[in-house]
Amino acid sequence: MKKGHEKFYEFKKSNEEMTDLYIYGDITSYKWDESDVGAYDFLKELNDVDTDNLTVHINSYGGSVSEGLAIHNMIKEFKGNVTTVCDSFACSIASVIFMAGKERVMHKGSLLMIHHAWTWASGNAKDLRKQADDLDKITEPSIVIYEKYSNLSRDEIVELMDNETWITAEEALEMGFATSIKEDDDAQQSINEMYLNHQVMLNKDLEKELNEVKEALKLEKAKNEEPLTGWNAFFNTKK
C-alpha cells in the first residue's frame, strides 16, 4: 500500500447536526491501495457518526457489486436522514449507492451510468453458461433497487442497463433516479464538467446513428448471404 495516500472515502463532521461523507474512488473488497473503499472499513466509521443528518457525496466509477450493495444497505440503515449527492460521476454500483438517499441530488453537470454486472470468465461452454446465469442473479439486486426508487418499469430499466446508459441530471430527475437538481451557476461548473456533459450528449447521438447503421448492415448481409450447409458449415465454424 502507498503510504500517505488518502482514502477515497472520508467522513467529515460539519456541525452538530450534519456529517458529510465523500465517496471519491473505486469501491473494492481488495485493499491494494489506501485509496480503495471497503465495506468493512466503511461500517466502522459509519457507526461512529453521531449526527442526525448524513450527506453522501459521490464521485466514483463503481467497482465491486458485493461491496457496493453492502454500503448501500448500511447507508439505508443509518438512524438519521440521508441525502445523496452526485458531485460528478456515479457509475455502475456507485449509482446504486446514490439510490440510498431519501433525497437524491444531482449537480447540473453530473452523470449517472447504469449497466449489468460483468466479469472475466474462462472455461468450457458449461462453465460460461453458468457464469452468465450467475451474472443475471448478481445484477438482480441493482434492478430491484432502481425499480423501487425510480418511476421506470423493470423492462425500461433492463433496457437502459443493456445499453450501458449514461444519464444526465435532467434525465435522472425525469426518470426518478434523482429527486432534485442543484442549479449551479455557470461560473461554478468546471470546464471539465461542461465538456464532459457535452461529450456524453454527442456520444448519445453518435451511438444512435451507429446502431441504425449496424441494423442496416445486418439486413443487407442477411439478404446477400446463403445459409451454410454440410461440409461448408463444418469448416466455417469458429472456435
Short mmCIF file of all heavy atoms in Angstrom, two decimals, residues 123-177:
data_model
loop_
_atom_site.label_atom_id
_atom_site.label_comp_id
_atom_site.label_asym_id
_atom_site.label_seq_id
_atom_site.Cartn_x
_atom_site.Cartn_y
_atom_site.Cartn_z
N GLY A 123 -13.20 -21.13 -19.28
CA GLY A 123 -13.74 -22.47 -19.08
C GLY A 123 -14.46 -22.98 -20.31
O GLY A 123 -14.42 -22.36 -21.38
N ASN A 124 -15.14 -24.12 -20.15
CA ASN A 124 -15.86 -24.70 -21.27
C ASN A 124 -17.24 -24.07 -21.39
O ASN A 124 -17.62 -23.15 -20.63
CB ASN A 124 -15.96 -26.22 -21.13
CG ASN A 124 -16.64 -26.63 -19.83
OD1 ASN A 124 -17.55 -25.96 -19.35
ND2 ASN A 124 -16.21 -27.74 -19.25
N ALA A 125 -18.03 -24.56 -22.34
CA ALA A 125 -19.35 -23.97 -22.60
C ALA A 125 -20.25 -24.03 -21.37
O ALA A 125 -20.97 -23.08 -21.06
CB ALA A 125 -20.00 -24.69 -23.78
N LYS A 126 -20.18 -25.14 -20.64
CA LYS A 126 -21.00 -25.29 -19.44
C LYS A 126 -20.61 -24.26 -18.38
O LYS A 126 -21.47 -23.65 -17.73
CB LYS A 126 -20.84 -26.71 -18.88
CG LYS A 126 -21.74 -27.00 -17.69
CD LYS A 126 -21.58 -28.44 -17.24
CE LYS A 126 -22.49 -28.74 -16.04
NZ LYS A 126 -22.32 -30.15 -15.59
N ASP A 127 -19.29 -24.06 -18.22
CA ASP A 127 -18.81 -23.06 -17.26
C ASP A 127 -19.30 -21.66 -17.62
O ASP A 127 -19.74 -20.89 -16.75
CB ASP A 127 -17.28 -23.05 -17.23
CG ASP A 127 -16.69 -24.36 -16.72
OD1 ASP A 127 -17.34 -25.00 -15.88
OD2 ASP A 127 -15.59 -24.73 -17.17
N LEU A 128 -19.24 -21.33 -18.91
CA LEU A 128 -19.61 -19.99 -19.34
C LEU A 128 -21.12 -19.76 -19.23
O LEU A 128 -21.57 -18.66 -18.91
CB LEU A 128 -19.14 -19.75 -20.77
CG LEU A 128 -17.63 -19.76 -20.97
CD1 LEU A 128 -17.27 -19.54 -22.43
CD2 LEU A 128 -16.95 -18.71 -20.10
N ARG A 129 -21.92 -20.80 -19.49
CA ARG A 129 -23.36 -20.67 -19.31
C ARG A 129 -23.70 -20.41 -17.85
O ARG A 129 -24.57 -19.60 -17.54
CB ARG A 129 -24.08 -21.92 -19.81
CG ARG A 129 -24.07 -22.09 -21.32
CD ARG A 129 -24.97 -23.22 -21.79
NE ARG A 129 -24.77 -23.49 -23.21
CZ ARG A 129 -23.99 -24.44 -23.69
NH1 ARG A 129 -23.36 -25.26 -22.86
NH2 ARG A 129 -23.85 -24.61 -24.99
N LYS A 130 -23.01 -21.12 -16.96
CA LYS A 130 -23.24 -20.91 -15.53
C LYS A 130 -22.82 -19.50 -15.12
O LYS A 130 -23.52 -18.84 -14.34
CB LYS A 130 -22.45 -21.93 -14.69
CG LYS A 130 -22.72 -21.78 -13.18
CD LYS A 130 -21.93 -22.78 -12.36
CE LYS A 130 -22.33 -22.68 -10.89
NZ LYS A 130 -22.17 -21.33 -10.32
N GLN A 131 -21.70 -19.03 -15.67
CA GLN A 131 -21.25 -17.69 -15.34
C GLN A 131 -22.27 -16.65 -15.78
O GLN A 131 -22.54 -15.67 -15.06
CB GLN A 131 -19.91 -17.41 -16.03
CG GLN A 131 -19.30 -16.06 -15.68
CD GLN A 131 -18.85 -16.00 -14.24
OE1 GLN A 131 -17.87 -16.62 -13.86
NE2 GLN A 131 -19.56 -15.24 -13.42
N ALA A 132 -22.87 -16.85 -16.96
CA ALA A 132 -23.89 -15.93 -17.45
C ALA A 132 -25.11 -15.93 -16.53
O ALA A 132 -25.67 -14.87 -16.20
CB ALA A 132 -24.30 -16.30 -18.87
N ASP A 133 -25.53 -17.13 -16.10
CA ASP A 133 -26.67 -17.23 -15.17
C ASP A 133 -26.34 -16.55 -13.84
O ASP A 133 -27.19 -15.86 -13.25
CB ASP A 133 -27.02 -18.70 -14.93
CG ASP A 133 -27.63 -19.37 -16.15
OD1 ASP A 133 -28.13 -18.63 -17.03
OD2 ASP A 133 -27.59 -20.61 -16.23
N ASP A 134 -25.11 -16.74 -13.36
CA ASP A 134 -24.69 -16.11 -12.11
C ASP A 134 -24.71 -14.59 -12.22
O ASP A 134 -25.14 -13.88 -11.30
CB ASP A 134 -23.29 -16.57 -11.72
CG ASP A 134 -23.24 -18.03 -11.27
OD1 ASP A 134 -24.32 -18.59 -10.98
OD2 ASP A 134 -22.13 -18.60 -11.22
N LEU A 135 -24.25 -14.07 -13.36
CA LEU A 135 -24.23 -12.62 -13.56
C LEU A 135 -25.64 -12.04 -13.55
O LEU A 135 -25.88 -10.94 -13.06
CB LEU A 135 -23.52 -12.27 -14.86
CG LEU A 135 -21.99 -12.35 -14.83
CD1 LEU A 135 -21.43 -12.12 -16.23
CD2 LEU A 135 -21.40 -11.35 -13.85
N ASP A 136 -26.60 -12.78 -14.12
CA ASP A 136 -28.00 -12.33 -14.09
C ASP A 136 -28.48 -12.18 -12.64
O ASP A 136 -29.16 -11.21 -12.30
CB ASP A 136 -28.91 -13.33 -14.82
CG ASP A 136 -28.76 -13.24 -16.34
OD1 ASP A 136 -28.30 -12.19 -16.83
OD2 ASP A 136 -29.12 -14.22 -17.01
N LYS A 137 -28.11 -13.14 -11.79
CA LYS A 137 -28.52 -13.07 -10.39
C LYS A 137 -27.79 -11.96 -9.64
O LYS A 137 -28.38 -11.29 -8.79
CB LYS A 137 -28.26 -14.42 -9.71
CG LYS A 137 -29.18 -15.53 -10.20
CD LYS A 137 -28.93 -16.84 -9.46
CE LYS A 137 -29.86 -17.93 -9.98
NZ LYS A 137 -29.63 -19.22 -9.28
N ILE A 138 -26.52 -11.74 -9.97
CA ILE A 138 -25.75 -10.68 -9.33
C ILE A 138 -26.29 -9.31 -9.71
O ILE A 138 -26.29 -8.37 -8.90
CB ILE A 138 -24.26 -10.80 -9.70
CG1 ILE A 138 -23.67 -12.08 -9.08
CG2 ILE A 138 -23.46 -9.59 -9.25
CD1 ILE A 138 -22.30 -12.45 -9.60
N THR A 139 -26.79 -9.19 -10.93
CA THR A 139 -27.37 -7.93 -11.40
C THR A 139 -28.74 -7.65 -10.78
O THR A 139 -29.13 -6.49 -10.62
CB THR A 139 -27.49 -7.95 -12.94
OG1 THR A 139 -26.19 -8.06 -13.52
CG2 THR A 139 -28.16 -6.68 -13.47
N GLU A 140 -29.46 -8.70 -10.42
CA GLU A 140 -30.85 -8.57 -9.98
C GLU A 140 -31.06 -7.57 -8.85
O GLU A 140 -32.00 -6.75 -8.92
CB GLU A 140 -31.40 -9.95 -9.57
CG GLU A 140 -32.85 -9.95 -9.15
CD GLU A 140 -33.81 -9.54 -10.27
OE1 GLU A 140 -33.43 -9.66 -11.45
OE2 GLU A 140 -34.92 -9.09 -9.95
N PRO A 141 -30.25 -7.57 -7.77
CA PRO A 141 -30.50 -6.58 -6.70
C PRO A 141 -30.44 -5.13 -7.19
O PRO A 141 -31.21 -4.29 -6.72
CB PRO A 141 -29.36 -6.87 -5.71
CG PRO A 141 -29.00 -8.29 -5.93
CD PRO A 141 -29.15 -8.50 -7.41
N SER A 142 -29.56 -4.85 -8.12
CA SER A 142 -29.48 -3.49 -8.66
C SER A 142 -30.75 -3.13 -9.41
O SER A 142 -31.27 -2.01 -9.27
CB SER A 142 -28.27 -3.36 -9.59
OG SER A 142 -27.06 -3.57 -8.90
N ILE A 143 -31.27 -4.06 -10.19
CA ILE A 143 -32.52 -3.82 -10.91
C ILE A 143 -33.65 -3.53 -9.92
O ILE A 143 -34.43 -2.59 -10.10
CB ILE A 143 -32.89 -5.03 -11.80
CG1 ILE A 143 -31.84 -5.25 -12.88
CG2 ILE A 143 -34.26 -4.83 -12.44
CD1 ILE A 143 -32.04 -6.52 -13.70
N VAL A 144 -33.72 -4.33 -8.87
CA VAL A 144 -34.77 -4.17 -7.85
C VAL A 144 -34.67 -2.79 -7.20
O VAL A 144 -35.68 -2.10 -6.99
CB VAL A 144 -34.67 -5.28 -6.78
CG1 VAL A 144 -35.59 -4.98 -5.60
CG2 VAL A 144 -35.02 -6.63 -7.40
N ILE A 145 -33.46 -2.36 -6.89
CA ILE A 145 -33.25 -1.05 -6.25
C ILE A 145 -33.63 0.08 -7.20
O ILE A 145 -34.33 1.02 -6.82
CB ILE A 145 -31.80 -0.92 -5.77
CG1 ILE A 145 -31.55 -1.86 -4.58
CG2 ILE A 145 -31.48 0.53 -5.37
CD1 ILE A 145 -30.10 -2.01 -4.20
N TYR A 146 -33.18 0.01 -8.45
CA TYR A 146 -33.54 1.04 -9.42
C TYR A 146 -35.06 1.12 -9.59
O TYR A 146 -35.63 2.21 -9.67
CB TYR A 146 -32.91 0.75 -10.78
CG TYR A 146 -31.41 0.85 -10.85
CD1 TYR A 146 -30.67 -0.08 -11.59
CD2 TYR A 146 -30.71 1.87 -10.19
CE1 TYR A 146 -29.29 0.00 -11.66
CE2 TYR A 146 -29.34 1.95 -10.27
CZ TYR A 146 -28.63 1.02 -11.01
OH TYR A 146 -27.26 1.11 -11.09
N GLU A 147 -35.70 -0.03 -9.67
CA GLU A 147 -37.14 -0.06 -9.88
C GLU A 147 -37.88 0.52 -8.67
O GLU A 147 -38.89 1.22 -8.82
CB GLU A 147 -37.61 -1.49 -10.14
CG GLU A 147 -39.08 -1.60 -10.53
CD GLU A 147 -39.49 -3.02 -10.87
OE1 GLU A 147 -38.69 -3.95 -10.66
OE2 GLU A 147 -40.63 -3.20 -11.34
N LYS A 148 -37.38 0.25 -7.47
CA LYS A 148 -38.05 0.73 -6.26
C LYS A 148 -38.04 2.24 -6.15
O LYS A 148 -39.04 2.86 -5.74
CB LYS A 148 -37.37 0.12 -5.03
CG LYS A 148 -38.00 0.54 -3.71
CD LYS A 148 -37.33 -0.15 -2.53
CE LYS A 148 -37.99 0.28 -1.21
NZ LYS A 148 -37.35 -0.38 -0.04
N TYR A 149 -36.94 2.87 -6.54
CA TYR A 149 -36.79 4.30 -6.31
C TYR A 149 -37.00 5.17 -7.55
O TYR A 149 -37.13 6.39 -7.42
CB TYR A 149 -35.43 4.59 -5.68
CG TYR A 149 -35.30 3.97 -4.32
CD1 TYR A 149 -34.55 2.80 -4.14
CD2 TYR A 149 -35.95 4.51 -3.22
CE1 TYR A 149 -34.45 2.21 -2.89
CE2 TYR A 149 -35.86 3.93 -1.97
CZ TYR A 149 -35.11 2.77 -1.81
OH TYR A 149 -35.02 2.18 -0.57
N SER A 150 -37.05 4.58 -8.73
CA SER A 150 -37.31 5.35 -9.94
C SER A 150 -38.79 5.23 -10.30
O SER A 150 -39.56 4.55 -9.62
CB SER A 150 -36.44 4.85 -11.10
OG SER A 150 -36.92 3.60 -11.59
N ASN A 151 -39.18 5.88 -11.36
CA ASN A 151 -40.54 5.73 -11.86
C ASN A 151 -40.58 4.92 -13.15
O ASN A 151 -41.53 5.01 -13.93
CB ASN A 151 -41.22 7.10 -12.05
CG ASN A 151 -40.39 8.02 -12.93
OD1 ASN A 151 -39.70 7.57 -13.85
ND2 ASN A 151 -40.44 9.31 -12.65
N LEU A 152 -39.55 4.11 -13.38
CA LEU A 152 -39.45 3.29 -14.58
C LEU A 152 -39.92 1.86 -14.30
O LEU A 152 -39.85 1.38 -13.16
CB LEU A 152 -38.00 3.25 -15.08
CG LEU A 152 -37.34 4.58 -15.42
CD1 LEU A 152 -35.90 4.33 -15.86
CD2 LEU A 152 -38.12 5.31 -16.50
N SER A 153 -40.35 1.20 -15.35
CA SER A 153 -40.71 -0.21 -15.24
C SER A 153 -39.45 -1.06 -15.27
O SER A 153 -38.36 -0.59 -15.66
CB SER A 153 -41.62 -0.63 -16.39
OG SER A 153 -40.90 -0.62 -17.62
N ARG A 154 -39.59 -2.29 -14.87
CA ARG A 154 -38.44 -3.21 -14.91
C ARG A 154 -37.87 -3.33 -16.32
O ARG A 154 -36.65 -3.29 -16.51
CB ARG A 154 -38.87 -4.59 -14.39
CG ARG A 154 -37.73 -5.62 -14.42
CD ARG A 154 -38.23 -7.00 -14.04
NE ARG A 154 -37.15 -7.97 -14.15
CZ ARG A 154 -36.26 -8.24 -13.19
NH1 ARG A 154 -36.35 -7.63 -12.03
NH2 ARG A 154 -35.30 -9.12 -13.38
N ASP A 155 -38.74 -3.46 -17.30
CA ASP A 155 -38.29 -3.61 -18.69
C ASP A 155 -37.51 -2.39 -19.14
O ASP A 155 -36.50 -2.51 -19.86
CB ASP A 155 -39.47 -3.86 -19.62
CG ASP A 155 -40.07 -5.25 -19.45
OD1 ASP A 155 -39.39 -6.12 -18.86
OD2 ASP A 155 -41.21 -5.46 -19.91
N GLU A 156 -37.96 -1.21 -18.75
CA GLU A 156 -37.26 0.02 -19.13
C GLU A 156 -35.89 0.08 -18.48
O GLU A 156 -34.90 0.50 -19.12
CB GLU A 156 -38.10 1.24 -18.72
CG GLU A 156 -39.35 1.43 -19.56
CD GLU A 156 -40.26 2.51 -19.02
OE1 GLU A 156 -40.36 2.65 -17.77
OE2 GLU A 156 -40.89 3.21 -19.83
N ILE A 157 -35.80 -0.33 -17.23
CA ILE A 157 -34.52 -0.33 -16.53
C ILE A 157 -33.56 -1.32 -17.17
O ILE A 157 -32.38 -1.01 -17.40
CB ILE A 157 -34.73 -0.67 -15.04
CG1 ILE A 157 -35.44 0.48 -14.34
CG2 ILE A 157 -33.39 -0.95 -14.36
CD1 ILE A 157 -35.96 0.14 -12.97
N VAL A 158 -34.03 -2.51 -17.47
CA VAL A 158 -33.18 -3.53 -18.09
C VAL A 158 -32.66 -3.05 -19.45
O VAL A 158 -31.49 -3.26 -19.79
CB VAL A 158 -33.94 -4.86 -18.25
CG1 VAL A 158 -33.16 -5.85 -19.11
CG2 VAL A 158 -34.22 -5.48 -16.88
N GLU A 159 -33.51 -2.37 -20.20
CA GLU A 159 -33.08 -1.85 -21.49
C GLU A 159 -31.96 -0.81 -21.32
O GLU A 159 -30.98 -0.81 -22.08
CB GLU A 159 -34.26 -1.23 -22.24
CG GLU A 159 -33.89 -0.73 -23.63
CD GLU A 159 -35.07 -0.17 -24.40
OE1 GLU A 159 -36.19 -0.15 -23.84
OE2 GLU A 159 -34.88 0.25 -25.56
N LEU A 160 -32.12 0.06 -20.33
CA LEU A 160 -31.07 1.05 -20.06
C LEU A 160 -29.76 0.36 -19.67
O LEU A 160 -28.68 0.77 -20.10
CB LEU A 160 -31.51 1.99 -18.94
CG LEU A 160 -32.63 2.97 -19.25
CD1 LEU A 160 -33.05 3.73 -17.99
CD2 LEU A 160 -32.22 3.95 -20.34
N MET A 161 -29.87 -0.69 -18.86
CA MET A 161 -28.68 -1.42 -18.44
C MET A 161 -28.07 -2.19 -19.61
O MET A 161 -26.84 -2.30 -19.71
CB MET A 161 -29.02 -2.35 -17.28
CG MET A 161 -29.48 -1.61 -16.03
SD MET A 161 -30.04 -2.68 -14.70
CE MET A 161 -28.46 -3.24 -14.02
N ASP A 162 -28.90 -2.74 -20.48
CA ASP A 162 -28.41 -3.41 -21.69
C ASP A 162 -27.50 -2.49 -22.49
O ASP A 162 -26.49 -2.91 -23.06
CB ASP A 162 -29.57 -3.86 -22.57
CG ASP A 162 -30.31 -5.07 -22.04
OD1 ASP A 162 -29.75 -5.77 -21.17
OD2 ASP A 162 -31.46 -5.30 -22.46
N ASN A 163 -27.89 -1.21 -22.54
CA ASN A 163 -27.19 -0.23 -23.38
C ASN A 163 -26.08 0.51 -22.66
O ASN A 163 -25.49 1.43 -23.22
CB ASN A 163 -28.20 0.78 -23.94
CG ASN A 163 -29.20 0.13 -24.87
OD1 ASN A 163 -28.88 -0.81 -25.60
ND2 ASN A 163 -30.44 0.61 -24.85
N GLU A 164 -25.80 0.10 -21.40
CA GLU A 164 -24.78 0.80 -20.60
C GLU A 164 -24.99 2.32 -20.71
O GLU A 164 -24.16 3.06 -21.22
CB GLU A 164 -23.37 0.42 -21.03
CG GLU A 164 -23.06 -1.06 -20.81
CD GLU A 164 -21.59 -1.39 -20.98
OE1 GLU A 164 -20.84 -0.51 -21.46
OE2 GLU A 164 -21.19 -2.51 -20.65
N THR A 165 -26.11 2.77 -20.17
CA THR A 165 -26.62 4.12 -20.43
C THR A 165 -26.03 5.17 -19.49
O THR A 165 -26.03 5.00 -18.27
CB THR A 165 -28.15 4.13 -20.29
OG1 THR A 165 -28.71 3.15 -21.18
CG2 THR A 165 -28.72 5.50 -20.64
N TRP A 166 -25.57 6.28 -20.09
CA TRP A 166 -25.20 7.47 -19.34
C TRP A 166 -26.45 8.33 -19.19
O TRP A 166 -27.19 8.55 -20.14
CB TRP A 166 -24.11 8.25 -20.07
CG TRP A 166 -22.78 7.59 -20.02
CD1 TRP A 166 -22.26 6.70 -20.94
CD2 TRP A 166 -21.77 7.76 -19.02
NE1 TRP A 166 -21.00 6.30 -20.55
CE2 TRP A 166 -20.67 6.94 -19.38
CE3 TRP A 166 -21.69 8.52 -17.86
CZ2 TRP A 166 -19.51 6.86 -18.62
CZ3 TRP A 166 -20.53 8.45 -17.09
CH2 TRP A 166 -19.46 7.63 -17.48
N ILE A 167 -26.67 8.83 -17.98
CA ILE A 167 -27.91 9.55 -17.66
C ILE A 167 -27.55 10.94 -17.13
O ILE A 167 -26.84 11.07 -16.13
CB ILE A 167 -28.73 8.78 -16.62
CG1 ILE A 167 -29.08 7.38 -17.16
CG2 ILE A 167 -29.99 9.54 -16.23
CD1 ILE A 167 -29.69 6.46 -16.11
N THR A 168 -28.04 11.98 -17.80
CA THR A 168 -27.78 13.35 -17.36
C THR A 168 -28.64 13.69 -16.14
O THR A 168 -29.56 12.94 -15.79
CB THR A 168 -28.11 14.34 -18.49
OG1 THR A 168 -29.52 14.30 -18.75
CG2 THR A 168 -27.34 14.01 -19.76
N ALA A 169 -28.35 14.82 -15.54
CA ALA A 169 -29.10 15.25 -14.37
C ALA A 169 -30.59 15.41 -14.71
O ALA A 169 -31.47 14.97 -13.94
CB ALA A 169 -28.53 16.56 -13.83
N GLU A 170 -30.87 16.02 -15.85
CA GLU A 170 -32.27 16.23 -16.25
C GLU A 170 -32.98 14.90 -16.49
O GLU A 170 -34.14 14.71 -16.09
CB GLU A 170 -32.33 17.09 -17.52
CG GLU A 170 -31.92 18.53 -17.32
CD GLU A 170 -30.41 18.73 -17.27
OE1 GLU A 170 -29.65 17.75 -17.52
OE2 GLU A 170 -29.97 19.86 -16.96
N GLU A 171 -32.29 13.96 -17.13
CA GLU A 171 -32.87 12.64 -17.38
C GLU A 171 -33.08 11.88 -16.07
O GLU A 171 -34.10 11.21 -15.88
CB GLU A 171 -31.97 11.84 -18.32
CG GLU A 171 -31.94 12.37 -19.74
CD GLU A 171 -30.86 11.72 -20.59
OE1 GLU A 171 -29.85 11.24 -20.02
OE2 GLU A 171 -31.00 11.71 -21.82
N ALA A 172 -32.12 12.01 -15.15
CA ALA A 172 -32.23 11.33 -13.86
C ALA A 172 -33.44 11.83 -13.08
O ALA A 172 -34.16 11.05 -12.44
CB ALA A 172 -30.95 11.55 -13.04
N LEU A 173 -33.70 13.14 -13.14
CA LEU A 173 -34.86 13.71 -12.46
C LEU A 173 -36.15 13.22 -13.10
O LEU A 173 -37.10 12.83 -12.41
CB LEU A 173 -34.78 15.23 -12.51
CG LEU A 173 -35.91 15.98 -11.78
CD1 LEU A 173 -35.90 15.67 -10.29
CD2 LEU A 173 -35.77 17.49 -12.02
N GLU A 174 -36.18 13.20 -14.42
CA GLU A 174 -37.37 12.74 -15.14
C GLU A 174 -37.65 11.27 -14.87
O GLU A 174 -38.81 10.86 -14.72
CB GLU A 174 -37.18 12.97 -16.65
CG GLU A 174 -38.37 12.55 -17.49
CD GLU A 174 -38.13 12.75 -18.98
OE1 GLU A 174 -37.09 13.35 -19.35
OE2 GLU A 174 -38.97 12.29 -19.78
N MET A 175 -36.61 10.45 -14.80
CA MET A 175 -36.78 9.02 -14.58
C MET A 175 -37.02 8.66 -13.11
O MET A 175 -37.40 7.53 -12.81
CB MET A 175 -35.52 8.27 -15.07
CG MET A 175 -35.28 8.35 -16.55
SD MET A 175 -33.67 7.60 -16.99
CE MET A 175 -33.63 7.90 -18.76
N GLY A 176 -36.77 9.61 -12.21
CA GLY A 176 -36.98 9.34 -10.79
C GLY A 176 -35.75 8.87 -10.06
O GLY A 176 -35.80 8.66 -8.85
N PHE A 177 -34.62 8.73 -10.76
CA PHE A 177 -33.38 8.36 -10.08
C PHE A 177 -32.97 9.47 -9.12
O PHE A 177 -32.44 9.21 -8.04
CB PHE A 177 -32.26 8.10 -11.08
CG PHE A 177 -32.44 6.86 -11.90
CD1 PHE A 177 -32.61 6.93 -13.27
CD2 PHE A 177 -32.43 5.61 -11.30
CE1 PHE A 177 -32.77 5.78 -14.02
CE2 PHE A 177 -32.60 4.45 -12.05
CZ PHE A 177 -32.77 4.54 -13.41
#
